């Protein structure tokens, strides 16, 4: 059961890298399994009559990541619009659906989503009609500021987008057609900053009173001036079940979001990074006597500049992930406490051992568990 009072952030700062100039919400990405790419906006602003989409194609999976060598090979695609968000996805192809290729989805101020796909015969990327692979991304209500896609079972996908006029769209699609199975739309009162689809396991009570777990999918939506909300079990209920995140509207606009298991209990936490320089952490819990669970604010941590992007990954290969927080003025790396993590591992091991059948426990054998602390 979660405590009633708000606790402290369980992560401690490992390092901070100062930038020579400001960054923006697109300035942080995962370059490899253990590497980050963080970019500031340095130097003078250069005006170009035509913007470009630059695609770097020479990197081979499995090889050592080398930014300098990759930068030497660049495909420039001229754009006739101002771009907002670039999203890439592995699209499953072939009659047996056993292979995939990377396609790029680029939203712009022309109220369209543009699809860029590799032409295998020419060995280069080119724009193709978006309706061929993504028919749900036609006739958009406004400029799309953020897009998110989640592949689910039975070759289906959920795709969500948030628009400049506050519109939120959600579609369930059979990728084999592709065929739109269902569309949902809802309207917020301000521009949408983030949409993020994520799964969770829920207890399901069957007719024979047996309890089982069912995977459901939720949609986190943040906007410029409103509280962040989560639409629950969207595959079943669409956008009809809304759950607000308390106090999320008190820290200025939410610019980034992340779903991750920070306390290793198997349940997700929701992280919100705000322009008001706060990192907010929420978790689902079910109050006593309540029929549905709620989202409780667990902790909040303040920074010295607005938060722009969040990534959770294992940077040093020790088995523990670090939280990378990109702010307007630099990159923060937050890590878990080694002592707290070791205690948690011992507790989990003790719990697992206690659940073993009595016959499998040998009273004459003693198992000693040792947790070696690194760093």
């Amino acid at each position: 059961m979660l405590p009633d009072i708000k606790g402290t952030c369980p992560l401690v700062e490992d390092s901070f890298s100062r930038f020579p100039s400001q960054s923006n919400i697109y300035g942080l990405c995962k370059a490899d399994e253990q590497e980050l790419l963080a970019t500031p906006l340095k130097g003078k602003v250069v005006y170009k009559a035509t913007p470009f989409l630059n695609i770097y194609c020479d990197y081979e999976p499995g090889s050592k990541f080398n930014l300098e060598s990759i930068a030497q090979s660049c495909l420039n695609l001229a754009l006739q619009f101002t771009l907002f968000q670039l999203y890439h996805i592995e699209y499953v192809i072939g009659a047996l659906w056993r292979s995939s290729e990377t396609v790029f989805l680029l939203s712009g101020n022309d109220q369209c989503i543009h699809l860029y796909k590799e032409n295998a015969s020419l060995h280069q990327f080119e724009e193709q009609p978006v309706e061929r692979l993504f028919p749900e991304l036609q006739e958009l209500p406004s400029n799309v500021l953020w897009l998110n896609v989640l592949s689910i079972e039975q070759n289906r996908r959920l795709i969500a987008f948030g628009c400049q006029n506050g519109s939120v769209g959600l579609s369930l699609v059979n990728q084999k057609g592709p065929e739109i199975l269902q569309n949902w739309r809802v309207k917020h009162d301000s521009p949408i900053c983030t949409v993020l689809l994520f799964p969770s396991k829920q207890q399901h009570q069957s007719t024979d009173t047996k309890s089982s777990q069912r995977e459901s999918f939720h949609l986190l939506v943040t906007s410029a001036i409103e509280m962040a909300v989560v639409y629950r079990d969207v595959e079943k209920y669409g956008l009809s079940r809304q759950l607000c995140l308390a106090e999320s509207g008190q820290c200025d606009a939410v610019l980034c979001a992340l779903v991750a298991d920070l306390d290793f209990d198997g349940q997700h936490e929701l992280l919100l990074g705000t322009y008001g320089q706060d990192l907010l952490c929420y978790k689902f819990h079910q109050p006593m006597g309540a029929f549905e669970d709620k989202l409780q604010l667990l902790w909040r941590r303040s920074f010295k500049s607005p938060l722009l992007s969040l990534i959770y990954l294992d940077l040093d290969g020790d088995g523990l992930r670090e939280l990378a927080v990109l702010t307007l003025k630099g990159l923060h790396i937050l890590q878990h406490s080694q002592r707290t993590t070791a205690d948690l591992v011992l507790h989990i091991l003790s719990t697992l051992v206690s659940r073993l059948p009595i016959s499998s426990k040998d009273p004459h054998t003693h198992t000693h568990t040792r947790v070696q602390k690194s760093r």
Side-chain angles (χ1 to χ4, degrees), residues 220-221 227-230 243-249 270 272 282 295:
L220 171 64
V221 177
M227 284 195 299
V229 299
V230 169
L243 185 61
C244 295
L245 281 68
E247 301 185 33
S248 60
L270 276 63
L272 303 182
Y282 293 83
L295 276 167

Side-chain angles (χ1 to χ4, degrees), residues 192-209:
I192 303 301
C193 300
T194 307
V195 291
L196 181 59
L197 291 157
F198 63 96
S200 71
K201 297 289 186 179
Q202 288 187 331
Q203 288 295 125
H204 175 67
Q205 197 75 22
S206 59
T207 54
D208 58 359
T209 68

Side-chain angles (χ1 to χ4, degrees), residues 263-264 318-320 337-353 369-373:
D263 56 8
F264 313 108
D318 67 348
L320 282 178
S337 165
Q338 294 289 326
R339 179 178 296 276
T340 302
T341 305
D343 292 342
L344 179 60
V345 170
L346 289 174
H347 174 73
I348 293 174
L349 291 175
S350 176
T351 302
L352 292 175
V353 170
T369 304
R370 182 176 63 135
V371 177
Q372 182 176 0
K373 300 182 178 66

Side-chain angles (χ1 to χ4, degrees), residues 8-12 262-263 299 335-337 340:
T8 57
C9 172
L11 303 173
V12 294
L262 294 179
D263 56 8
W299 50 262
Q335 64 175 183
H336 293 276
S337 165
T340 302

Side-chain angles (χ1 to χ4, degrees), residues 46-92:
V46 179
Y47 174 77
K48 292 184 179 181
T50 303
F52 286 86
L53 170 63
N54 300 323
I55 300 178
Y56 301 89
C57 308
D58 279 356
Y59 176 66
E60 296 182 2
S63 62
K64 187 175 181 180
F65 184 82
N66 188 319
L67 184 60
E68 292 184 1
S69 62
I70 294 174
Q72 294 175 2
S73 177
C74 178
L75 173 63
N76 304 106
L77 299 176
L79 305 177
Q80 303 302 319
F81 55 89
T82 300
L83 59 93
F84 287 134
Q85 186 205 10
L86 176 64
Y87 190 90
H88 70 274
I89 180 174
E90 291 291 322
Y91 192 87
V92 182

Side-chain angles (χ1 to χ4, degrees), residues 227-247:
M227 284 195 299
V229 299
V230 169
Y231 292 97
R232 304 295 308 277
D233 202 352
V234 294
E235 187 182 7
K236 183 176 181 180
Y237 298 103
L239 300 176
S240 63
R241 298 182 63 192
Q242 184 186 93
L243 185 61
C244 295
L245 281 68
E247 301 185 33

Side-chain angles (χ1 to χ4, degrees), residues 1-8 263 265 269 281-287 294-299:
M1 182 176 178
L2 297 174
D4 294 331
I5 59 174
K6 300 177 182 63
T8 57
D263 56 8
D265 67 346
E269 283 82 54
C281 179
Y282 293 83
K283 193 178 185 70
F284 287 105
H285 79 108
Q286 187 166 352
K294 305 293 182 182
L295 276 167
Q296 179 182 6
L297 178 61
L298 288 183
W299 50 262

Side-chain angles (χ1 to χ4, degrees), residues 67 73 117 125 206 223 226 229-230 267 277 318 325 341 360:
L67 184 60
S73 177
K117 183 174 177 292
F125 281 82
S206 59
S223 55
E226 302 170 85
V229 299
V230 169
Q267 302 296 323
Q277 305 177 12
D318 67 348
V325 182
T341 305
S360 65

